[in-house]
Amino acid sequence: EKIRIQQSMLNKGELQYRDRLLDIRNLSSKISQLTMELNNVRAYISRLADLKRAINTQTKTLNQERAKVKAMYDELENPLNVHRWHKLEGSEPQTFEMIQRIHSLQKQLIAKTE
């Protein structure tokens, strides 16, 4: 009877030991997974400053380009120097002739489309 009780206790102990070994394996796996995730987060954090700098640079460039576009649009709406090609008449006659030809072709095209 004593031997049977001891054998039963021994079997229960072995079962609990196997359960603890399984728990240890699962926890070790979880630790390695969390360690990899921690390393990924650390790498992302180290790049975060560079990414913020890049965002700021690109935002600044975008704002500059928007200002240029607005200035060009405003000049297109209200031209300040309407006949700027007239300066070419004396300095570059060939270019001036080409511009005149372009203007006449544009007028012909507009007339044909209307």
Side-chain angles (χ1 to χ4, degrees):
E1 172 94 19
K2 243 181 176 183
I3 293 176
R4 203 170 24 111
I5 293 173
Q6 286 180 346
Q7 186 65 39
S8 172
M9 301 242 331
L10 183 62
N11 289 340
K12 286 179 185 178
E14 285 178 2
L15 184 61
Q16 287 178 350
Y17 177 74
R18 277 188 249 128
D19 288 344
R20 294 301 81 79
L21 282 178
L22 184 61
D23 289 343
I24 288 171
R25 284 189 198 119
N26 290 338
L27 290 174
S28 294
S29 172
K30 185 73 172 176
I31 286 172
S32 64
Q33 179 185 3
L34 290 173
T35 302
M36 285 176 33
E37 188 177 334
L38 176 64
N39 290 336
N40 290 340
V41 169
R42 283 182 178 161
Y44 175 75
I45 288 173
S46 68
R47 291 188 337 238
L48 199 57
D50 293 335
L51 292 173
K52 284 182 180 180
R53 243 188 325 267
I55 288 172
N56 289 338
T57 303
Q58 294 301 323
T59 303
K60 184 178 178 182
T61 304
L62 177 62
N63 288 336
Q64 289 173 348
E65 291 301 318
R66 282 183 178 160
K68 286 179 186 178
V69 167
K70 181 163 178 26
M72 293 170 118
Y73 181 76
D74 289 343
E75 184 176 341
L76 184 63
E77 290 293 315
N78 301 314
L80 299 175
N81 190 3
V82 179
H83 303 288
R84 56 181 163 256
W85 58 84
H86 285 296
K87 293 179 185 176
L88 295 174
E89 188 174 7
S91 62
E92 297 180 34
Q94 290 176 336
T95 308
F96 180 69
E97 288 175 17
M98 294 300 289
I99 290 174
Q100 283 182 328
R101 176 95 170 115
I102 289 171
H103 285 280
S104 67
L105 291 173
Q106 286 175 340
K107 287 178 185 176
Q108 289 174 9
L109 182 64
I110 291 170
K112 285 183 181 182
T113 57
E114 292 176 347

